[in-house]
Amino acid sequence: MPGTGQERLDIQFTTVNDVSPADVERAREAVGRALAHPPRPILYAKVTLNRLRDPAASRPDLVSIRVDLNGRPVNAYASGATMPEAIGLAAARLRARVHHLAGYWEARRRPHRGTAPAGPRHDETKELHDA
């Protein structure tokens, strides 16, 4: 069953420049909520939080989330004026991409309706040759 057996998701964090521990914990909670009910087993999750030191940057806080859903990479990136904004945007994008993949996998499992059988039928080919 997808998502079973994982009490708490093990997420690797990398921080670049002055990122506070509170921001790391906020990112852990946001990513955990986004991946609460994954469609496939999560093999790993990695989050990178970066704060640019350029004072001219209008959105200096960057978040990168990389997740492996049973061999399928899912990535979400965001930048924001504040770290909570960037974390929220990246988590929302991750949630949307995981939801999209769940729909994709579900659609591939369902049989196609209204499709014609493959190849020509003998009745049709005989009529064409007789005419």
Side-chain angles (χ1 to χ4, degrees), residues 86-109:
I87 291 169
L89 288 171
R93 290 175 181 161
L94 177 65
R95 187 177 312 111
R97 289 179 178 138
V98 168
H99 180 71
H100 174 76
L101 278 178
Y104 172 77
W105 281 321
E106 185 63 30
R108 289 188 48 109
R109 287 181 34 191

Side-chain angles (χ1 to χ4, degrees), residues 64-89:
S64 169
I65 304 171
R66 291 175 298 285
V67 178
D68 186 338
L69 286 179
N70 202 29
R72 178 80 178 227
V74 181
N75 300 310
Y77 306 96
S79 65
T82 63
M83 190 58 77
E85 177 188 2
I87 291 169
L89 288 171

